[in-house]
Structure formats: C-alpha cells, structure tokens
Amino acid sequence: MHTDDTIALARLVLASGPVLCRRRLLDQHGTPAAALRAGASAWRAAGMDDVQITRLRGPADDAHMRTLEWLQAPGHHLIGWHDADYPAPLRQIGSPPLALFVEGDPTLLWRAAVAVVGSRAPTSGGRDNAHAFARALASTGIVVASGMARGIDAAAHEAALALGPGTTLAVVGTGPDIAYPPGHDRLRDRLATQGAVVSEHPPGTPAMRSHFPSRNRILAGLTLGTLVVEAAERSGALITARQAGEAGREVFAIPGSIHNPLARGCHRLIRDGAALVECAQEVIEAVAPLAADLANALRGRLGETESAAIAGPGETPLRLDADYQKLWEGLGHDPTGMDQLVSRTGLTAAELSSMLLVMELDGLVTAEHGRYQRKTGFFTSTASMTQAEGQ
C-alpha cells in the first residue's frame, strides 16, 4: 500500500521540466502530499510552468501507474528531496535531483564511495587497473560507484561484486529497471540484488543521449571522489571528473603511456590539477577525511544525542549511546551475521544496519560478505592517540 506522500512524489517526478521549482515546493510545504494539496496558485508561485501544472492537475496516467506498480516490489525505493534518507553529499551539488529511484540497498547511498570511470573500450591494461583499484577500494569498505557502461565501468562493478554484497552501486541514465547498454541484463540484476541501481528517471525510461551527462552529475555528487582509469581527450569520464571537481570532491587519474590515446584524458586531468595516483591506497588516504564528514552527517540523520562509553577489559572507552553499547557487546572478534546480531541485541535489522554503517565509517567495525566484527587493532591506536593528547 502506497502512502499519500509516495503517490504525490511520483506525480511531482513525472511532472518533468525544471527541477528547482519542484524542490522549492517541497521546501515550502514539507511533504509531497502537502505540496500537491497547495494547488495551482502555489505551484505557479514556486515557478512551475503551464506544462507542469497541467500534468499535476490531470488524472494519473500510465507512467504514474507503472511507477507505483514498480514501487510495490520488494527492494524498490523512491527517496525524495524532502526525505531524511536523501543522501547528504548529493544535497551539496549545483542541481540535485528531485528524487532517486533505487533498486537494491538504499543504505549504500550513505556509505563512503568512490566513482571509478573511464573508457568504454579500454586497453587490457586499463581494464586490469580498473579491476585492481576497484577490488582494493571495496576490500576496505569503500563502495565502488560507476555507471554500468561497457569497459571500465563494468570492470569496476565486476571486481567489487566478486567480493560479495554491499560493495558497489550503479547510477544509470535510464529507468532503474532498464539494462543499458543492451547485454548488461545480468550485470544490472546482480547490481540490484547485491548492491544498488540508482536513477533520477522513473521506471521504463529508455536510454537518451541527454540523460547521460546529467547522470554523471549524480555519480559525482554521491561519491567522495572520482577516479578516472583510462579516458580519451573527449570522454564522458572527463565530464564526471569535472563535475566532481565543481562539487568540491577529489579527482584522481591514473597516468599511462604517452603513446596511448586513452591516457591523454588522464594526463589532461593531471595537468589541470587532478591527483596522480599509482595505487588504491593513495585514493583511500585522500578520501578518509571526507568519510569522517559523511559519518557526522549520518549521525545527524539518525538523530543521535546522548552517548555512553563502550569498552572491553583493558580497552580505551569510546563515547556511543546505549544501543551502540548493546551492539558492541553483541559483536565479537569473529565475523557475525545480521540474524545473530538481531538475536543478541533485540534490535531490528533496520536499526542495526544504520548503526553498523556509522560504526564502519568510524572505523570501529569491519564488514565482509554481510558479516561484521570489531576492527582489529582499533583500540590500540586509540589508546596511543589518547596518551599522546594527554602529554
């Protein structure tokens, strides 16, 4: 059963046209349902044009019904500008989307992520680099984001998926249900099942040339940095990199041979100020401070207030609230699955998922193949830091 807000938000998305006026309506009225109830005079005052107003006034059409039908399926989500779950980093870009259709795990949009992009027809070396960097990033808990295109995108997604669920997401320029390019049906389904497929376009939207530059702005905005593996001088990957830089995110480029035409885009980025990187660790170290900011934004989303110390025997206490104390005690030094944590803590899987995400961003826990454990050596480093501060 859809809520009034879900139905209204779908109507607002399908009104199409300029986005700013529809975001303004949500800011002014608080919820999609209230924005629709405000009526044509309020819509026009917010800046909506006659075409948009006509669409909002008219009866629900096939596209609206198709969207609501898609949203009824498990794992299908619509996250609007008004929603607390709207990703904090995306609010900071110049033209944030009104809403996101997500098939898969929406919590990945709040995880520390790096975009890995590049040529659709890479060299063997470029494909190998994409695989190696993506695997290294995903193995440390960073989500690998890309656009599900051929070449570098697909290599990055595949490398992350090989490590298990929760490692990668795709931002697409079609509806979330469309596999593009043709032949990527299996990859799309794996991403939807083990990661997330994200789009600002409603289900059923076909591929259109104009959608892909706008898709790139979302990919750049959702991530802490963009890594260009291999790209010609005229490449969509360079658009993503430019948009990442404009959003204040890190831009990285892997250098190549001066004889390789697909290295020229990376060399141009490096000349323009992108960081030259030779290993994934350089990327990881550069985005670490930004990941801390993301963790703070997530705490605000979860409404965390008072905290309580957690510590084991001989360990340095940290300040976390009572539910986190319960979760910490439920975690062991061996990998623990979600079902066990639900049983040990009495908390719901949804509550635990959000809490574990915060603790992972803080470096308290590690996650692998859907199982969680306390991060080895964390308290040793914390104790050393505390002693140093006291001197």
Side-chain angles (χ1 to χ4, degrees):
M1 181 67 68
H2 297 298
T3 66
D4 289 345
D5 280 331
T6 299
I7 295 169
L9 182 58
R11 290 295 299 271
L12 286 168
V13 170
L14 290 163
S16 301
V19 173
L20 177 59
C21 55
R22 289 177 284 161
R23 290 202 312 267
R24 186 180 294 133
L25 266 180
L26 290 177
D27 287 338
Q28 291 172 347
H29 299 282
T31 68
L36 276 197
R37 287 195 299 267
S41 60
W43 304 340
R44 195 174 301 281
M48 298 189 80
D49 59 30
D50 290 341
V51 174
Q52 291 175 306
I53 290 172
T54 298
R55 286 173 177 161
L56 287 182
R57 273 179 156 170
D61 58 13
D62 290 345
H64 187 248
M65 300 309 296
R66 182 172 59 244
T67 298
L68 295 182
E69 183 179 357
W70 183 86
L71 285 168
Q72 286 182 325
H76 291 188
H77 311 271
L78 179 57
I79 302 171
W81 174 254
H82 67 293
D83 200 314
D85 286 339
Y86 192 96
L90 201 56
R91 293 187 185 275
Q92 301 166 7
I93 69 172
S95 180
L98 179 70
L100 295 171
F101 293 90
V102 182
E103 183 171 355
D105 183 0
T107 67
L108 293 185
L109 278 63
W110 280 84
R111 294 270 299 277
V114 169
V116 180
V117 297
S119 173
R120 286 172 172 76
T123 64
S124 297
R127 194 181 301 274
D128 289 345
N129 284 336
H131 189 279
F133 272 73
R135 184 178 179 85
L137 291 169
S139 68
T140 66
I142 292 176
V143 172
V144 173
S146 200
M148 209 171 77
R150 293 188 181 96
I152 295 299
D153 288 24
H157 287 309
E158 294 282 5
L161 285 168
L163 295 178
T167 55
T168 184
L169 65 84
V171 182
V172 298
T174 63
D177 56 331
I178 303 294
Y180 187 83
H184 274 191
D185 305 67
R186 183 171 178 272
L187 177 58
R188 195 218 71 87
D189 291 347
R190 291 176 65 204
L191 285 163
T193 302
Q194 300 182 52
V197 178
V198 183
S199 178
E200 66 179 323
H201 305 291
T205 303
M208 297 178 63
R209 184 180 295 273
S210 61
H211 287 174
F212 290 92
S214 61
R215 177 275 305 271
N216 293 342
R217 90 188 191 286
I218 298 176
L219 180 58
L222 275 176
T223 54
L224 304 180
T226 292
L227 169 67
V228 181
V229 176
E230 199 172 56
E233 286 192 284
R234 294 175 61 85
S235 168
L238 300 191
I239 297 175
T240 307
R242 174 176 57 78
Q243 291 172 327
E246 290 172 353
R249 311 298 156 75
E250 299 288 344
V251 179
F252 311 96
I254 300 175
S257 167
I258 61 171
H259 304 293
N260 177 10
L262 295 181
R264 290 174 186 163
C266 292
H267 293 168
R268 174 180 155 192
L269 287 173
I270 292 166
R271 285 195 297 271
D272 291 344
L276 185 158
V277 293
E278 298 175 311
C279 66
Q281 188 59 35
E282 293 173 316
V283 178
I284 294 165
E285 291 173 357
V287 300
L290 299 174
D293 292 340
L294 181 59
N296 288 333
L298 183 56
R299 289 192 196 91
R301 166 200 174 218
L302 297 174
E304 295 177 14
T305 52
E306 296 300 318
S307 60
I310 63 170
E315 295 175 337
T316 302
L318 298 173
R319 303 297 299 178
L320 292 175
D321 71 18
D323 282 343
Y324 282 85
Q325 171 78 34
K326 192 183 300 182
L327 172 54
W328 183 257
E329 292 170 355
L331 282 166
H333 296 287
D334 296 317
T336 306
M338 183 63 75
D339 289 345
Q340 287 176 289
L341 290 175
V342 170
S343 176
R344 291 176 184 177
T345 64
L347 299 168
T348 67
E351 290 169 331
L352 288 169
S353 179
S354 295
M355 293 163 65
L356 285 163
L357 177 53
V358 171
M359 295 176 80
E360 189 177 350
L361 287 169
D362 276 343
L364 287 167
V365 304
T366 58
E368 187 173 355
H369 307 304
R371 298 168 70 82
Y372 302 86
Q373 67 186 92
R374 298 181 186 185
K375 189 166 184 178
T376 304
F378 178 84
F379 283 108
T380 301
S381 61
T382 304
S384 300
M385 183 174 64
T386 303
Q387 291 171 1
E389 289 173 350
Q391 291 177 352

